[in-house]
Amino acid sequence: MFTIKNIALFCISALVVMALVLFIRYPHLEKRYIRTILERNGIQVSSIADIEHADGKTIISRVDLDPNQFSYITGLEYELSRLKALRSTPPKRLKINDVTLTAEINHNWQLDMTGWKPRVSKILPFEELFLEHGQIDIATRWGGIRLETKGKFHKSQDNQTNFVGILWAVQNQLRMQSKIQAVQSNKGLWSAEIDISEAAIVLPEIETARVSGWLSYAETKAAIPRASAQIYAGKLNLGYMELSNVSITLDSNADHIQFLIEGKVSGPDEIHFNVDISNAQAGFMIEATINGNEPAKLLAFLENVHKTFNLKSFKSDILTPLMITQGNLDRIYNELEDQSYDEAKIVLSGSLYDMTGKIVTTTHKNDVPRTSVISLDPSSL
């Protein structure tokens, strides 16, 4: 026969058993909680080290993001009651002492990161996230580069996520100092601004110096985000091309993308170039002009562009229709020898894989300009 005393003893015994089970199983449940929180945000979890508790904080010394331990998190800290942890409630504040990631740029020029597939469209589940230090080592076809960062995520009252941080690099291959400000709207759309105060790259077949500028990016419901940029490079060497005072401007929105590239060919000769790349129904279209007083040197530069695009690092067929062969160049040189001119320029136009080119020379007689055109395509003769 059950009495009130028996019922009370049964309840107390049940609570003791439940408490004992939770005490024994809680480390396992807590690791599962951490795994759930991280994987919801695109961070894969391979293993979680022992969990410590001190001064009301939960401290995890290390979380490996892949079996080979190439990518990992160290020093993850948060405050959360066990009851909320059992209910998978995210902590209000999360602190990460260090994140180390490895990545590579694949053949499609996409960044593949080991152990992390960022889901930038998701709303950050924490009110605050502090990153004391982050590092990403990227393998490229030109060699390895390392980027480092630190910053703070903060969720505002209207459920927007704000990020303020810095991004830098101190390698011989890459030196950079920049500031980042980003906002994620309550609809999950990101916008960001990056201000580059100084940057330089030294890699096989790529070298830049005195680089500065800014980039702006904003996600929209359209397939193409809004983006704009203004980058200046005092020096830019790509393969056989040696350039200086290069300015790159980007402007894109839902239905329009345009790149403007202007600069000078390094050296005593005044050779200037400008390239306009924009999207169209047939794909990307190019309008390019190379200006100088000596056509032979203009052709030499065009030949260097062609040689650069034949290098393994830059391999592309976009200049193939221009027929930049030694025989064709000799033919053009012979035609130029029979002319006199004051100015000259090379004009390229067309789609990426269907481009035409010509040399336009100009003479001035009695203040009247006269032009002569030589096609780069021998079949047009």
Side-chain angles (χ1 to χ4, degrees), residues 300-314:
F301 172 67
L302 188 60
E303 189 176 9
N304 283 337
V305 175
H306 184 256
K307 289 165 62 177
T308 297
F309 279 108
N310 279 324
L311 292 171
K312 184 178 179 180
S313 300
F314 303 96

Side-chain angles (χ1 to χ4, degrees), residues 339-377:
Q339 297 184 12
S340 60
Y341 40 78
D342 301 318
E343 300 171 0
K345 63 181 177 180
I346 295 178
V347 179
L348 309 177
S349 62
S351 64
L352 285 177
Y353 297 96
D354 187 18
M355 201 180 309
T356 61
K358 59 186 177 182
I359 297 178
V360 180
T361 59
T362 303
T363 58
H364 296 273
K365 190 172 184 179
N366 299 324
D367 295 327
V368 177
R370 295 182 179 181
T371 62
S372 176
V373 176
I374 302 176
S375 174
L376 297 182
D377 184 358

Side-chain angles (χ1 to χ4, degrees), residues 207-214 229-238 241-249 259-266 271-275 301:
E207 184 175 355
T208 70
R210 305 186 304 280
V211 178
S212 60
W214 56 268
Q230 182 71 59
I231 304 295
Y232 172 82
K235 174 183 178 180
L236 174 60
N237 293 348
L238 302 174
M241 296 185 290
E242 297 184 358
L243 313 175
S244 62
N245 301 327
V246 178
S247 173
I248 302 174
T249 303
F259 281 95
L260 294 176
I261 307 172
E262 299 178 311
K264 178 179 177 292
V265 179
S266 298
I271 299 177
H272 298 267
F273 66 89
N274 62 78
V275 182
F301 172 67

